[in-house]
Amino acid sequence: MGAGWRCCRSTRSSPRDRAFTYHRKSLYPALFLVVLLLIIVETLALHLLIQRWSPGIAWLLTGLSLYSIFWIIGDFNDDVDAFRAELGRRHPAEHP
């Protein structure tokens, strides 16, 4: 019964199955979490250390660290359909 069913079903995969999704099948989420936690710990420690000498610079570095956290979260959530490279406004190149 099972062999007959297998011969009738389609063996074609969807474009979504053939997409380059290395981060879903790898340890990228674990690496993402570790890097995110390290940035948070480093930000707190660096802020407390530098605040002794210059509170303004400490807040500047804390802001840059927060920006890097948002950038890494955006990188993790990025689901692109094609690679796009641009050389100025006149020469875009896109590879699916």
Side-chain angles (χ1 to χ4, degrees):
M1 179 85 172
W5 177 252
R6 270 184 257 146
C7 73
C8 296
R9 71 178 181 189
S10 175
T11 58
R12 293 185 179 193
S13 60
S14 69
R16 182 116 174 120
D17 293 336
R18 290 178 276 154
F20 186 65
T21 57
Y22 71 94
H23 69 282
R24 292 188 184 132
K25 298 177 184 175
S26 69
L27 294 176
Y28 185 70
L31 178 66
F32 164 77
L33 183 62
V34 168
V35 168
L36 199 62
L37 290 174
L38 286 174
I39 288 175
I40 291 169
V41 169
E42 179 189 21
T43 298
L44 292 173
L46 194 64
H47 180 82
L48 292 174
L49 179 68
I50 294 180
Q51 189 176 15
R52 294 179 180 184
W53 293 284
S54 177
I57 292 183
W59 282 110
L60 176 72
L61 293 175
T62 301
L64 288 173
S65 293
L66 290 174
Y67 177 76
S68 67
I69 289 171
F70 288 130
W71 188 85
I72 289 174
I73 290 171
D75 181 57
F76 181 73
N77 291 328
D78 191 19
D79 190 21
V80 296
D81 294 330
F83 175 76
R84 183 173 174 88
E86 293 186 23
L87 181 62
R89 297 183 129 205
R90 296 180 58 203
H91 305 288
E94 189 169 313
H95 183 65

Coordinates of all heavy atoms in Angstrom, one line a residue:
M1 N 0.8 -1.2 0.0 CA 0.0 0.0 0.0 C 0.9 1.3 0.0 O 0.6 2.2 -0.7 CB -0.9 0.0 1.2 CG -1.8 1.1 1.3 SD -3.2 0.9 0.4 CE -4.2 2.3 0.8
G2 N 1.9 1.3 0.8 CA 2.8 2.4 0.9 C 3.6 2.7 -0.4 O 3.8 3.8 -0.8
A3 N 4.0 1.6 -1.0 CA 4.8 1.7 -2.2 C 4.0 2.3 -3.4 O 4.4 3.1 -4.2 CB 5.4 0.4 -2.6
G4 N 2.7 1.9 -3.4 CA 1.8 2.4 -4.5 C 1.6 3.9 -4.2 O 1.5 4.7 -5.2
W5 N 1.5 4.3 -3.0 CA 1.2 5.8 -2.7 C 2.4 6.6 -3.1 O 2.3 7.7 -3.6 CB 0.9 5.9 -1.3 CG 0.7 7.4 -0.9 CD1 1.5 8.1 -0.1 CD2 -0.4 8.2 -1.2 NE1 1.1 9.4 0.0 CE2 -0.1 9.5 -0.7 CE3 -1.5 8.1 -2.0 CZ2 -1.0 10.6 -0.8 CZ3 -2.4 9.1 -2.1 CH2 -2.1 10.4 -1.6
R6 N 3.6 6.1 -2.8 CA 4.9 6.8 -3.1 C 5.0 7.1 -4.6 O 5.6 8.1 -5.0 CB 6.1 6.1 -2.6 CG 6.4 6.5 -1.2 CD 7.7 5.8 -0.7 NE 7.2 4.8 0.2 CZ 7.8 3.6 0.3 NH1 8.8 3.3 -0.3 NH2 7.3 2.7 1.1
C7 N 4.6 6.2 -5.4 CA 4.8 6.3 -6.9 C 3.9 7.4 -7.5 O 4.1 7.9 -8.5 CB 4.7 5.0 -7.6 SG 3.0 4.4 -7.7
C8 N 2.8 7.6 -6.8 CA 1.8 8.6 -7.3 C 2.0 10.0 -6.9 O 1.5 10.9 -7.5 CB 0.4 8.2 -6.9 SG -0.1 6.6 -7.5
R9 N 2.7 10.2 -5.8 CA 2.9 11.6 -5.3 C 4.0 12.3 -6.1 O 4.9 11.6 -6.7 CB 3.2 11.6 -3.8 CG 4.5 11.1 -3.5 CD 4.7 11.2 -2.0 NE 6.0 10.7 -1.7 CZ 6.5 10.5 -0.5 NH1 5.8 10.8 0.5 NH2 7.7 10.0 -0.4
S10 N 3.9 13.6 -6.1 CA 4.9 14.3 -6.9 C 6.2 14.4 -6.1 O 6.3 14.5 -4.9 CB 4.4 15.8 -7.1 OG 5.4 16.6 -7.7
T11 N 7.3 14.3 -6.8 CA 8.6 14.4 -6.2 C 9.3 15.7 -6.3 O 10.4 16.0 -5.9 CB 9.6 13.3 -6.8 OG1 9.7 13.6 -8.2 CG2 9.1 11.9 -6.6
R12 N 8.6 16.7 -6.9 CA 9.1 18.0 -7.1 C 9.1 18.8 -5.8 O 8.1 18.7 -5.0 CB 8.3 18.8 -8.1 CG 8.5 18.3 -9.5 CD 7.8 19.1 -10.5 NE 8.0 18.6 -11.8 CZ 7.7 19.3 -12.9 NH1 7.2 20.5 -12.8 NH2 7.9 18.7 -14.1
S13 N 10.1 19.5 -5.5 CA 10.2 20.3 -4.3 C 9.8 21.7 -4.6 O 10.0 22.2 -5.8 CB 11.6 20.2 -3.7 OG 12.5 20.7 -4.6
S14 N 9.4 22.4 -3.7 CA 9.0 23.8 -3.9 C 10.3 24.7 -3.9 O 11.3 24.3 -3.4 CB 8.1 24.3 -2.7 OG 8.8 24.4 -1.5
P15 N 10.2 25.9 -4.5 CA 11.4 26.8 -4.5 C 11.8 27.1 -3.1 O 13.0 27.3 -2.8 CB 10.9 28.0 -5.2 CG 9.7 27.6 -6.0 CD 9.1 26.4 -5.2
R16 N 10.9 27.1 -2.1 CA 11.3 27.4 -0.7 C 12.2 26.3 -0.2 O 13.1 26.5 0.6 CB 10.1 27.6 0.1 CG 10.3 27.9 1.6 CD 9.8 29.3 1.8 NE 9.9 29.6 3.2 CZ 10.6 30.6 3.6 NH1 11.2 31.4 2.8 NH2 10.7 30.9 4.9
D17 N 11.9 25.0 -0.6 CA 12.7 23.9 -0.1 C 14.1 23.9 -0.7 O 15.1 23.4 -0.1 CB 12.1 22.6 -0.5 CG 10.8 22.4 0.3 OD1 10.6 23.0 1.4 OD2 9.9 21.6 -0.2
R18 N 14.3 24.5 -1.9 CA 15.5 24.5 -2.6 C 16.3 25.8 -2.3 O 17.5 25.9 -2.7 CB 15.3 24.4 -4.1 CG 14.9 23.1 -4.5 CD 14.6 23.0 -6.0 NE 13.3 23.6 -6.2 CZ 12.9 24.2 -7.3 NH1 13.7 24.3 -8.3 NH2 11.6 24.6 -7.4
A19 N 15.8 26.7 -1.5 CA 16.5 27.9 -1.2 C 17.7 27.7 -0.3 O 17.8 26.6 0.4 CB 15.5 28.9 -0.5
F20 N 18.6 28.6 -0.3 CA 19.8 28.5 0.5 C 19.5 28.9 2.0 O 19.5 30.1 2.3 CB 20.9 29.4 -0.1 CG 22.2 29.2 0.5 CD1 22.9 28.0 0.5 CD2 22.8 30.3 1.2 CE1 24.1 27.9 1.0 CE2 24.1 30.1 1.8 CZ 24.7 28.9 1.7
T21 N 19.3 27.9 2.8 CA 18.9 28.2 4.2 C 19.9 27.5 5.2 O 19.5 26.7 6.0 CB 17.5 27.7 4.4 OG1 17.4 26.3 4.1 CG2 16.4 28.4 3.6
Y22 N 21.1 27.9 5.1 CA 22.1 27.2 5.9 C 21.9 27.6 7.4 O 22.2 26.8 8.3 CB 23.5 27.7 5.5 CG 23.8 29.1 5.9 CD1 24.5 29.4 7.0 CD2 23.5 30.1 5.0 CE1 24.7 30.8 7.3 CE2 23.8 31.4 5.3 CZ 24.4 31.7 6.4 OH 24.7 33.0 6.7
H23 N 21.3 28.8 7.7 CA 21.1 29.1 9.1 C 20.0 28.4 9.7 O 20.0 28.3 11.0 CB 20.9 30.7 9.2 CG 19.6 31.1 8.6 ND1 19.4 31.3 7.3 CD2 18.4 31.4 9.2 CE1 18.1 31.7 7.1 NE2 17.5 31.8 8.2
R24 N 19.1 27.8 9.0 CA 18.0 27.0 9.6 C 18.5 25.6 9.9 O 17.9 24.9 10.7 CB 16.8 27.0 8.7 CG 16.2 28.4 8.6 CD 14.9 28.3 7.9 NE 14.4 29.7 7.7 CZ 13.9 30.1 6.6 NH1 13.9 29.4 5.5 NH2 13.5 31.4 6.5
K25 N 19.5 25.1 9.2 CA 19.9 23.7 9.4 C 21.2 23.7 10.1 O 21.8 22.6 10.2 CB 20.0 23.1 8.0 CG 18.7 23.0 7.3 CD 18.9 22.4 5.9 CE 17.6 22.4 5.2 NZ 17.7 22.0 3.8
S26 N 21.7 24.8 10.6 CA 23.0 24.8 11.3 C 22.9 25.3 12.7 O 21.8 25.4 13.2 CB 24.0 25.7 10.5 OG 23.6 27.0 10.7
L27 N 24.0 25.6 13.3 CA 24.0 26.1 14.7 C 24.0 27.6 14.7 O 24.3 28.2 15.7 CB 25.2 25.6 15.4 CG 25.2 24.1 15.7 CD1 26.5 23.6 16.3 CD2 24.0 23.6 16.5
Y28 N 23.5 28.3 13.6 CA 23.5 29.7 13.6 C 22.6 30.3 14.7 O 23.1 31.3 15.3 CB 23.0 30.2 12.2 CG 23.1 31.7 12.1 CD1 24.4 32.3 12.0 CD2 22.0 32.5 12.0 CE1 24.4 33.7 11.9 CE2 22.0 33.8 11.9 CZ 23.3 34.4 11.8 OH 23.3 35.8 11.7
P29 N 21.5 29.8 15.0 CA 20.7 30.4 16.1 C 21.4 30.3 17.5 O 21.4 31.2 18.3 CB 19.4 29.5 16.2 CG 19.3 29.1 14.8 CD 20.7 28.8 14.3
A30 N 22.1 29.2 17.7 CA 22.9 29.1 19.0 C 24.1 30.1 19.0 O 24.3 30.8 20.0 CB 23.4 27.7 19.1
L31 N 24.8 30.2 17.9 CA 25.8 31.2 17.8 C 25.3 32.6 17.9 O 25.9 33.5 18.6 CB 26.5 31.1 16.4 CG 27.7 32.1 16.1 CD1 28.8 31.8 17.1 CD2 28.1 32.0 14.7
F32 N 24.2 32.9 17.3 CA 23.5 34.2 17.5 C 23.2 34.5 18.9 O 23.5 35.6 19.4 CB 22.2 34.2 16.7 CG 21.3 35.3 17.0 CD1 21.5 36.6 16.6 CD2 20.1 35.0 17.8 CE1 20.6 37.6 16.9 CE2 19.3 36.0 18.1 CZ 19.5 37.3 17.6
L33 N 22.7 33.6 19.7 CA 22.4 33.8 21.1 C 23.6 34.0 21.9 O 23.6 34.9 22.8 CB 21.6 32.6 21.6 CG 21.1 32.7 23.0 CD1 20.1 33.8 23.2 CD2 20.4 31.4 23.5
V34 N 24.7 33.3 21.7 CA 25.9 33.4 22.4 C 26.5 34.8 22.1 O 26.9 35.5 23.1 CB 26.9 32.3 22.0 CG1 28.3 32.6 22.6 CG2 26.4 31.0 22.6
V35 N 26.6 35.2 20.9 CA 27.1 36.5 20.6 C 26.3 37.6 21.2 O 26.8 38.6 21.7 CB 27.2 36.7 19.0 CG1 27.5 38.1 18.6 CG2 28.3 35.8 18.5
L36 N 25.0 37.5 21.1 CA 24.1 38.5 21.7 C 24.3 38.6 23.2 O 24.4 39.7 23.8 CB 22.6 38.1 21.4 CG 21.6 39.2 21.5 CD1 21.9 40.3 20.6 CD2 20.2 38.7 21.3
L37 N 24.4 37.5 23.9 CA 24.6 37.5 25.4 C 26.0 38.1 25.7 O 26.2 38.9 26.7 CB 24.5 36.1 26.0 CG 23.1 35.6 26.0 CD1 23.1 34.1 26.4 CD2 22.2 36.4 26.9
L38 N 27.0 37.8 24.9 CA 28.4 38.3 25.1 C 28.4 39.9 24.9 O 29.0 40.6 25.7 CB 29.4 37.7 24.2 CG 29.8 36.3 24.6 CD1 30.7 35.7 23.5 CD2 30.5 36.2 25.9
I39 N 27.6 40.3 23.9 CA 27.6 41.8 23.7 C 26.9 42.5 24.9 O 27.3 43.5 25.4 CB 26.8 42.1 22.4 CG1 27.7 41.7 21.2 CG2 26.5 43.6 22.3 CD1 27.0 41.9 19.9
I40 N 25.8 41.9 25.4 CA 25.1 42.5 26.6 C 26.0 42.5 27.8 O 26.1 43.5 28.5 CB 23.8 41.7 26.8 CG1 22.8 41.9 25.7 CG2 23.2 42.1 28.2 CD1 21.6 41.0 25.7
V41 N 26.7 41.4 28.1 CA 27.6 41.4 29.3 C 28.8 42.4 29.1 O 29.1 43.1 30.0 CB 28.1 40.0 29.5 CG1 29.3 39.9 30.5 CG2 27.0 39.1 29.9
E42 N 29.4 42.4 27.9 CA 30.5 43.3 27.6 C 30.0 44.8 27.7 O 30.7 45.6 28.2 CB 31.1 43.0 26.3 CG 32.2 43.9 25.9 CD 32.6 43.8 24.5 OE1 31.8 43.3 23.6 OE2 33.8 44.2 24.2
T43 N 28.8 45.1 27.2 CA 28.3 46.4 27.3 C 28.2 46.9 28.7 O 28.6 48.0 29.1 CB 27.0 46.5 26.6 OG1 27.2 46.2 25.2 CG2 26.4 47.9 26.7
L44 N 27.6 46.0 29.6 CA 27.4 46.4 31.0 C 28.8 46.6 31.7 O 29.0 47.6 32.4 CB 26.6 45.4 31.7 CG 25.2 45.3 31.3 CD1 24.5 44.1 32.0 CD2 24.4 46.5 31.7
A45 N 29.7 45.7 31.5 CA 31.0 45.8 32.1 C 31.8 47.0 31.6 O 32.4 47.8 32.4 CB 31.8 44.5 31.9
L46 N 31.8 47.2 30.3 CA 32.5 48.4 29.7 C 31.9 49.7 30.2 O 32.6 50.7 30.5 CB 32.5 48.3 28.2 CG 33.5 49.2 27.4 CD1 34.9 48.8 27.8 CD2 33.2 49.0 26.0
H47 N 30.6 49.8 30.3 CA 29.9 51.0 30.7 C 30.3 51.3 32.1 O 30.6 52.5 32.4 CB 28.4 50.8 30.6 CG 27.7 52.1 31.0 ND1 27.5 53.1 30.2 CD2 27.1 52.4 32.2 CE1 26.8 54.1 30.8 NE2 26.6 53.7 32.0
L48 N 30.3 50.3 33.0 CA 30.6 50.6 34.4 C 32.1 51.0 34.6 O 32.4 51.8 35.4 CB 30.3 49.4 35.3 CG 28.8 49.1 35.4 CD1 28.6 47.7 36.1 CD2 28.1 50.2 36.1
L49 N 33.0 50.4 33.8 CA 34.4 50.7 33.8 C 34.7 52.1 33.3 O 35.4 52.9 34.0 CB 35.2 49.7 33.1 CG 36.7 49.9 33.0 CD1 37.3 49.6 34.4 CD2 37.3 48.9 32.0
I50 N 34.2 52.5 32.2 CA 34.5 53.7 31.5 C 33.7 54.9 32.2 O 34.2 56.0 32.1 CB 34.2 53.7 30.0 CG1 35.2 52.7 29.4 CG2 34.4 55.0 29.3 CD1 35.0 52.5 27.9
Q51 N 32.6 54.6 32.8 CA 31.9 55.7 33.5 C 32.7 56.3 34.6 O 32.5 57.5 34.9 CB 30.6 55.1 34.1 CG 29.6 56.1 34.6 CD 28.3 55.5 35.0 OE1 28.2 54.3 35.2 NE2 27.3 56.4 35.2
R52 N 33.7 55.7 35.1 CA 34.5 56.3 36.2 C 35.3 57.5 35.6 O 35.6 58.4 36.3 CB 35.5 55.3 36.7 CG 34.8 54.1 37.5 CD 35.9 53.2 38.0 NE 35.3 52.1 38.7 CZ 35.9 51.2 39.3 NH1 37.2 51.1 39.3 NH2 35.3 50.2 39.9
W53 N 35.7 57.4 34.4 CA 36.6 58.4 33.8 C 35.8 59.4 32.9 O 36.0 60.6 33.0 CB 37.7 57.8 32.9 CG 38.7 57.0 33.8 CD1 39.6 57.5 34.6 CD2 38.7 55.6 33.9 NE1 40.3 56.5 35.2 CE2 39.8 55.3 34.8 CE3 38.0 54.5 33.4 CZ2 40.1 54.0 35.2 CZ3 38.3 53.3 33.7 CH2 39.4 53.0 34.6
S54 N 34.8 58.9 32.2 CA 34.1 59.8 31.3 C 32.7 59.2 31.1 O 32.5 58.3 30.2 CB 34.8 59.9 29.9 OG 34.0 60.7 29.1
P55 N 31.7 59.8 31.8 CA 30.3 59.3 31.6 C 29.8 59.5 30.2 O 29.0 58.7 29.7 CB 29.5 60.1 32.6 CG 30.5 60.7 33.6 CD 31.8 60.8 32.8
G56 N 30.2 60.6 29.5 CA 29.7 60.8 28.1 C 30.2 59.7 27.2 O 29.4 59.2 26.3
I57 N 31.4 59.4 27.3 CA 32.0 58.3 26.4 C 31.4 57.0 26.7 O 31.1 56.2 25.9 CB 33.5 58.3 26.4 CG1 34.0 59.6 25.8 CG2 34.1 57.1 25.7 CD1 35.5 59.7 25.7
A58 N 31.1 56.8 28.0 CA 30.5 55.5 28.4 C 29.1 55.4 27.8 O 28.7 54.3 27.3 CB 30.4 55.4 29.9
W59 N 28.3 56.4 27.8 CA 27.0 56.4 27.2 C 27.1 56.3 25.6 O 26.2 55.6 25.0 CB 26.1 57.6 27.6 CG 25.6 57.4 29.0 CD1 26.0 58.1 30.1 CD2 24.6 56.5 29.4 NE1 25.3 57.6 31.2 CE2 24.4 56.6 30.8 CE3 23.9 55.5 28.7 CZ2 23.5 55.9 31.5 CZ3 23.0 54.7 29.5 CH2 22.8 54.9 30.8
L60 N 28.1 56.9 25.1 CA 28.3 56.8 23.6 C 28.6 55.3 23.2 O 28.0 54.8 22.3 CB 29.4 57.7 23.1 CG 29.8 57.6 21.7 CD1 28.7 58.2 20.8 CD2 31.1 58.2 21.4
L61 N 29.5 54.7 24.0 CA 29.8 53.3 23.7 C 28.6 52.4 24.0 O 28.4 51.4 23.3 CB 31.0 52.9 24.5 CG 32.3 53.5 24.1 CD1 33.4 53.1 25.0 CD2 32.7 53.2 22.6
T62 N 27.8 52.7 25.0 CA 26.6 51.9 25.3 C 25.6 52.0 24.1 O 25.0 51.0 23.7 CB 26.0 52.4 26.6 OG1 26.9 52.2 27.6 CG2 24.7 51.6 26.9
G63 N 25.5 53.2 23.6 CA 24.6 53.4 22.4 C 25.1 52.7 21.2 O 24.3 52.1 20.5
L64 N 26.4 52.6 21.0 CA 26.9 51.9 19.8 C 26.7 50.4 20.0 O 26.4 49.7 19.1 CB 28.4 52.2 19.7 CG 28.7 53.6 19.1 CD1 30.2 53.8 19.2 CD2 28.2 53.7 17.7
S65 N 26.8 49.9 21.3 CA 26.6 48.5 21.6 C 25.1 48.2 21.3 O 24.8 47.1 20.8 CB 27.0 48.2 23.0 OG 28.4 48.3 23.1
L66 N 24.2 49.0 21.7 CA 22.8 48.8 21.5 C 22.5 48.8 20.0 O 21.7 47.9 19.5 CB 21.9 49.9 22.2 CG 21.9 49.8 23.7 CD1 21.1 51.0 24.2 CD2 21.3 48.5 24.1
Y67 N 23.1 49.6 19.2 CA 23.0 49.6 17.8 C 23.5 48.3 17.2 O 22.8 47.7 16.3 CB 23.7 50.8 17.1 CG 23.7 50.8 15.6 CD1 22.5 51.2 15.0 CD2 24.7 50.4 14.9 CE1 22.4 51.2 13.6 CE2 24.7 50.3 13.5 CZ 23.5 50.8 12.9 OH 23.5 50.8 11.5
S68 N 24.6 47.8 17.7 CA 25.1 46.5 17.2 C 24.2 45.4 17.6 O 24.0 44.4 16.8 CB 26.5 46.2 17.7 OG 26.5 46.0 19.1
I69 N 23.5 45.4 18.7 CA 22.5 44.4 19.1 C 21.3 44.4 18.1 O 20.9 43.4 17.6 CB 22.0 44.6 20.5 CG1 23.1 44.3 21.5 CG2 20.7 43.8 20.8 CD1 22.8 44.6 22.9
F70 N 20.8 45.6 17.7 CA 19.8 45.7 16.7 C 20.2 45.2 15.4 O 19.5 44.6 14.6 CB 19.2 47.2 16.6 CG 18.4 47.6 17.8 CD1 18.7 48.8 18.5 CD2 17.4 46.8 18.3 CE1 18.0 49.2 19.6 CE2 16.7 47.2 19.4 CZ 16.9 48.4 20.0
W71 N 21.5 45.5 15.0 CA 22.0 45.1 13.7 C 22.1 43.5 13.7 O 21.7 42.9 12.7 CB 23.4 45.7 13.5 CG 23.9 45.5 12.2 CD1 23.7 46.2 11.0 CD2 24.8 44.4 11.7 NE1 24.3 45.7 10.0 CE2 25.0 44.5 10.4 CE3 25.4 43.3 12.4 CZ2 25.8 43.7 9.7 CZ3 26.2 42.5 11.7 CH2 26.4 42.6 10.3
I72 N 22.5 42.9 14.7 CA 22.6 41.5 14.8 C 21.3 40.8 14.7 O 21.1 39.8 14.1 CB 23.5 41.0 16.0 CG1 24.9 41.4 15.8 CG2 23.3 39.5 16.2 CD1 25.8 41.1 17.0
I73 N 20.3 41.4 15.5 CA 18.9 40.9 15.4 C 18.4 41.0 14.0 O 17.7 40.1 13.5 CB 18.0 41.6 16.4 CG1 18.5 41.2 17.9 CG2 16.6 41.2 16.2 CD1 17.8 42.0 19.0
G74 N 18.6 42.1 13.3 CA 18.2 42.3 12.0 C 18.8 41.3 11.0 O 18.2 40.8 10.1
D75 N 20.1 41.0 11.2 CA 20.8 40.0 10.4 C 20.2 38.6 10.6 O 20.1 37.9 9.7 CB 22.3 40.0 10.8 CG 23.1 39.1 10.0 OD1 23.0 39.2 8.7 OD2 23.7 38.2 10.5
F76 N 19.9 38.3 11.8 CA 19.3 37.0 12.1 C 17.9 36.9 11.5 O 17.6 35.8 11.0 CB 19.2 36.8 13.6 CG 18.6 35.4 14.0 CD1 19.4 34.3 13.8 CD2 17.3 35.3 14.4 CE1 18.9 33.1 14.1 CE2 16.8 34.1 14.8 CZ 17.6 33.0 14.6
N77 N 17.1 37.9 11.5 CA 15.8 37.9 10.9 C 15.7 38.1 9.4 O 14.7 38.0 8.8 CB 14.9 38.9 11.6 CG 14.6 38.5 13.0 OD1 14.5 37.3 13.3 ND2 14.5 39.5 13.9
D78 N 16.9 38.4 8.8 CA 16.9 38.7 7.4 C 16.6 37.4 6.6 O 17.2 36.4 6.7 CB 18.3 39.2 7.0 CG 18.3 39.8 5.6 OD1 17.2 40.1 5.0 OD2 19.4 39.9 5.0
D79 N 15.6 37.5 5.7 CA 15.2 36.4 4.9 C 15.2 36.9 3.4 O 14.1 37.3 2.9 CB 13.8 35.9 5.3 CG 13.5 34.6 4.6 OD1 14.4 33.9 4.1 OD2 12.3 34.2 4.5
V80 N 16.3 36.9 2.8 CA 16.5 37.4 1.5 C 16.1 36.4 0.4 O 16.4 35.2 0.6 CB 17.9 38.0 1.2 CG1 18.1 39.2 2.1 CG2 18.9 36.9 1.4
D81 N 15.6 36.9 -0.7 CA 15.3 36.0 -1.8 C 16.4 36.0 -2.9 O 16.5 35.2 -3.7 CB 14.0 36.4 -2.5 CG 12.8 36.2 -1.5 OD1 12.9 35.2 -0.7 OD2 11.8 36.9 -1.6
A82 N 17.2 37.1 -2.8 CA 18.3 37.2 -3.8 C 19.5 38.0 -3.2 O 19.3 38.8 -2.3 CB 17.8 37.9 -5.1
F83 N 20.6 37.8 -3.8 CA 21.8 38.6 -3.4 C 21.8 39.8 -4.3 O 21.7 39.7 -5.5 CB 23.1 37.8 -3.6 CG 24.3 38.5 -3.4 CD1 24.7 38.8 -2.1 CD2 25.1 39.0 -4.4 CE1 25.8 39.6 -1.8 CE2 26.2 39.7 -4.2 CZ 26.6 40.0 -2.9
R84 N 21.9 41.0 -3.7 CA 21.9 42.2 -4.5 C 23.2 43.0 -4.2 O 23.4 43.3 -3.0 CB 20.7 43.0 -4.2 CG 20.6 44.3 -5.0 CD 19.2 45.0 -4.8 NE 19.1 46.2 -5.4 CZ 18.7 46.4 -6.7 NH1 18.4 45.4 -7.4 NH2 18.6 47.6 -7.2
A85 N 23.9 43.4 -5.2 CA 25.1 44.2 -5.1 C 25.0 45.4 -5.9 O 24.5 45.3 -7.0 CB 26.3 43.4 -5.5
E86 N 25.3 46.6 -5.4 CA 25.2 47.8 -6.1 C 26.5 48.5 -6.2 O 27.3 48.6 -5.2 CB 24.2 48.7 -5.5 CG 22.8 48.2 -5.6 CD 21.7 49.1 -5.1 OE1 22.0 50.3 -5.0 OE2 20.7 48.7 -4.7
L87 N 26.9 49.1 -7.3 CA 28.0 49.9 -7.5 C 27.5 51.3 -7.9 O 27.3 51.5 -9.1 CB 29.0 49.3 -8.5 CG 30.2 50.1 -8.8 CD1 31.1 50.2 -7.5 CD2 31.0 49.5 -9.9
G88 N 27.2 52.1 -6.9 CA 26.5 53.3 -7.2 C 25.1 53.1 -7.6 O 24.5 52.1 -7.2
R89 N 24.4 54.1 -8.2 CA 23.0 54.0 -8.6 C 22.8 53.4 -10.0 O 21.7 53.0 -10.3 CB 22.3 55.3 -8.5 CG 22.4 55.9 -7.1 CD 21.6 57.2 -7.0 NE 20.7 57.1 -5.9 CZ 19.6 57.8 -5.8 NH1 19.3 58.6 -6.8 NH2 18.8 57.7 -4.8
R90 N 23.8 53.4 -10.8 CA 23.6 53.0 -12.2 C 23.9 51.5 -12.4 O 23.5 51.0 -13.5 CB 24.5 53.9 -13.0 CG 24.1 55.3 -13.0 CD 25.0 56.2 -13.8 NE 25.0 55.7 -15.2 CZ 25.9 56.0 -16.1 NH1 27.0 56.6 -15.7 NH2 25.8 55.5 -17.3
H91 N 24.6 50.8 -11.6 CA 25.0 49.5 -11.9 C 24.6 48.4 -10.8 O 25.4 47.9 -10.1 CB 26.6 49.4 -12.0 CG 27.1 50.4 -13.0 ND1 26.9 50.3 -14.3 CD2 27.8 51.6 -12.8 CE1 27.5 51.3 -15.0 NE2 28.0 52.1 -14.0
P92 N 23.3 48.2 -10.7 CA 22.9 47.2 -9.7 C 23.0 45.8 -10.4 O 22.9 45.6 -11.6 CB 21.4 47.5 -9.5 CG 21.0 48.1 -10.7 CD 22.2 48.9 -11.3
A93 N 23.3 44.8 -9.6 CA 23.4 43.4 -10.0 C 22.7 42.6 -9.0 O 22.8 42.7 -7.8 CB 24.9 43.0 -10.1
E94 N 21.8 41.7 -9.5 CA 21.0 40.8 -8.6 C 21.2 39.4 -9.1 O 21.1 39.0 -10.2 CB 19.6 41.2 -8.6 CG 18.8 40.5 -7.6 CD 17.4 41.2 -7.5 OE1 17.3 42.4 -7.4 OE2 16.4 40.4 -7.4
H95 N 21.4 38.5 -8.1 CA 21.5 37.1 -8.4 C 20.5 36.3 -7.5 O 20.5 36.4 -6.3 CB 22.9 36.6 -8.1 CG 23.2 35.1 -8.4 ND1 23.1 34.7 -9.7 CD2 23.4 34.1 -7.6 CE1 23.3 33.4 -9.7 NE2 23.5 33.0 -8.4
P96 N 19.6 35.6 -8.2 CA 18.5 34.9 -7.4 C 19.1 33.8 -6.5 O 20.1 33.2 -6.7 CB 17.6 34.4 -8.4 CG 18.3 34.5 -9.7 CD 19.4 35.4 -9.6

